[in-house]
Amino acid sequence: MGKKKEKKIDLDNLKPEEEMKYEIARELGYLDKVMTTGWNSLTAKESGRIGGIITKKKRELKKEK
């Protein structure tokens, strides 16, 4: 099996959903880890925490509309 190519992350050109993901990772202190070793380096607990916060924020945004 081949290895996936690592993409350079451009924090200035992100989709809104990706921007939220990186923002939450920064708030939780995971951004350095993600930038150096990628999203796969996060534990299930860490990535689940990010996903939970994203879901919570999306619900809040939906309620406001």
Side-chain angles (χ1 to χ4, degrees), residues 4-57:
K4 285 186 179 180
K5 285 188 177 179
E6 292 283 326
K7 284 195 302 184
K8 280 280 187 190
I9 300 168
D10 183 9
L11 294 176
D12 296 325
N13 296 320
L14 296 173
K15 297 175 186 172
E17 192 168 304
E18 288 177 327
E19 194 173 318
M20 184 187 304
K21 186 174 161 182
Y22 282 96
E23 181 181 316
I24 293 167
R26 180 180 299 121
E27 290 172 7
L28 297 174
Y30 304 149
L31 188 60
D32 289 336
K33 186 176 181 180
V34 169
M35 296 301 286
T36 56
T37 55
W39 289 103
N40 290 336
S41 66
L42 294 180
T43 65
K45 184 177 181 179
E46 292 168 339
S47 58
R49 192 167 177 198
I50 292 171
I53 294 171
I54 288 173
T55 302
K56 183 179 175 184
K57 284 190 177 192

